[in-house]
Amino acid sequence: MHIPSARFLVAAALLVLLALVPAYAHWQGEPFLLALFGRVLVYGVAALALNLLLGFGGMVSFGHALYLGLGAYSVGVMSHYGIESGWLHLAGALGACAVVGLISGFVVMRTSGIAFIMITLAFAQMFYFLATGLDGFGGDDGMSLFAGSDFGAFRLDTPLALYYAAFGMLVLVLALMHRLIHAPFGMALRGCQANERRMRALGFPTLRYRLAAYVLSAMICGVAGVLLANLTMYVSPSYLAWTTSGELIVMVVLGGIGTLFGPVVGALAFLLLEEGLKLLTGHWMLIMGLTIVGVVLVSRRGVYGSLPDTPWRRHPATPLGQPSGEPQ
């Protein structure tokens, strides 16, 4: 008899709990919980996007906040001109992230190591300073949104609608990632991570695979940016800052790099720890930094990555004196 692995059980339990957060928040009269766990869902989507590069492609992007910011500014700029259609907001975010990801990807994919990290950071910083100079859209102060994205059947200007839209997007991205990493494309991408030179010798167009993963990751991160703008009803250049990119990397590593559900666990642990420590002390950054370092040192595979991934089995009893064949 096969019993699901610990990873599967934890992932399923967390998804069920996240789905029940609105009911619990209503029961307790705590609307703040919707905003807090809404952030967890949004950053979970962004961390999943980064994990496609970092965990399965071996590409350390230190500039993924660029695409989170592009998604948010797609909503902000269109709303500034009176365009409230969520479908146009989403299309604008996907288009902008695809174009910028394709152009920047052609540059960064020809590098590796420290050069890759620094060039992704440089692209993000260029757009960060561009956003601070957009005086018509708030400049360094950012700007508020007057209405959420309107998708016809629902609008994202109510906390409940936004929460379940973010939850649905998280589940959709998880399903997409599961199919992707087990498809030939995902196998080839992981082969590039293990030994790109050998993959090229076998005839695989490694640049295409890595570039396609980069652009797809950028687009998913852009969708998270659309949700983030609706969650905060605000757009700011801080979304494009290098610190945001660093937080996404920490979420991926904290949860479990190269695992399917690890980035979501990392986002949950990071944001809940941040919120809890802020309530306790003004020096929460020091404690949080030490906590993250301790977790990484104790469990280098992350919180979720340390869980067993092998399905448990129940074996029939064996006669006395006969070895079962399983190690004790």
Side-chain angles (χ1 to χ4, degrees):
M1 177 180 176
H2 291 268
I3 302 177
S5 67
R7 287 190 188 181
F8 178 85
L9 293 174
V10 168
L14 285 178
L15 283 176
V16 171
L17 290 175
L18 287 172
L20 295 176
V21 164
Y24 179 79
H26 178 73
W27 177 46
Q28 292 292 322
E30 292 287 351
F32 170 71
L33 290 176
L34 278 182
L36 174 59
F37 283 92
R39 284 187 67 209
V40 170
L41 296 176
V42 170
Y43 278 95
V45 172
L48 283 170
L50 177 59
N51 189 49
L52 178 62
L53 290 184
L54 185 59
F56 300 110
M59 295 172 275
V60 185
S61 171
F62 205 65
H64 245 52
L66 163 61
Y67 306 108
L68 189 70
L70 281 177
Y73 268 92
S74 296
V75 177
V77 172
M78 289 189 186
S79 297
H80 180 77
Y81 290 108
I83 301 174
E84 297 183 3
S85 171
W87 299 110
L88 290 180
H89 294 171
L90 187 60
L94 291 173
C97 291
V99 171
V100 174
L102 189 62
I103 295 173
S104 61
F106 270 118
V107 178
V108 300
M109 289 303 151
R110 287 166 170 77
T111 64
S112 60
I114 297 298
F116 188 100
I117 297 172
M118 296 308 295
I119 293 177
T120 55
L121 174 61
F123 272 108
Q125 288 300 100
M126 283 192 294
F127 277 85
Y128 168 77
F129 288 112
L130 174 64
T132 60
L134 294 176
D135 295 331
F137 302 104
D140 193 34
D141 296 326
M143 62 178 177
S144 299
L145 303 183
F146 297 104
S149 300
D150 184 3
F151 286 90
F154 62 94
R155 295 180 65 102
L156 296 185
D157 53 2
T158 61
L160 187 63
L162 176 61
Y163 185 89
Y164 277 117
F167 180 78
M169 184 54 63
L170 178 71
V171 173
L172 181 63
V173 172
L174 281 170
L176 173 64
M177 291 296 176
H178 182 268
R179 292 292 300 271
L180 194 64
I181 62 179
H182 291 93
F185 175 84
M187 298 292 185
L189 185 63
R190 283 187 278 179
C192 295
Q193 177 187 18
N195 194 322
E196 186 178 359
R197 183 178 298 178
R198 181 174 294 179
M199 292 294 289
R200 285 199 300 264
L202 291 172
F204 285 90
T206 58
L207 177 62
R208 293 184 192 174
Y209 282 108
R210 296 172 72 231
L211 181 59
Y214 187 86
V215 174
L216 179 60
S217 176
M219 294 171 70
I220 295 173
C221 211
V223 174
V226 171
L227 294 171
L228 181 60
N230 282 278
L231 176 67
T232 60
M233 293 301 290
Y234 182 73
V235 176
S236 168
S238 62
Y239 296 162
L240 298 99
W242 65 270
T243 51
T244 304
S245 297
E247 289 174 355
L248 292 177
I249 292 177
V250 170
M251 290 174 190
V252 174
V253 174
L254 185 62
I257 186 172
T259 61
L260 178 62
F261 199 73
V264 181
V265 175
L268 180 66
F270 183 90
L271 293 174
L272 291 185
L273 182 62
E274 177 186 36
E275 199 62 38
L277 290 176
K278 282 180 179 179
L279 297 176
L280 295 176
T281 175
H283 304 289
W284 63 272
M285 290 186 183
L286 175 62
I287 301 175
M288 187 168 186
L290 292 174
T291 303
I292 292 172
V293 170
V295 170
V296 173
L297 289 177
V298 172
S299 175
R300 297 187 179 182
R301 296 166 62 186
V303 176
Y304 180 79
S306 299
L307 298 174
D309 192 29
T310 305
W312 300 328
R313 297 181 181 182
R314 180 180 298 173
H315 296 277
T318 54
L320 277 174
Q322 180 178 339
S324 65
E326 291 294 325
Q328 299 299 318

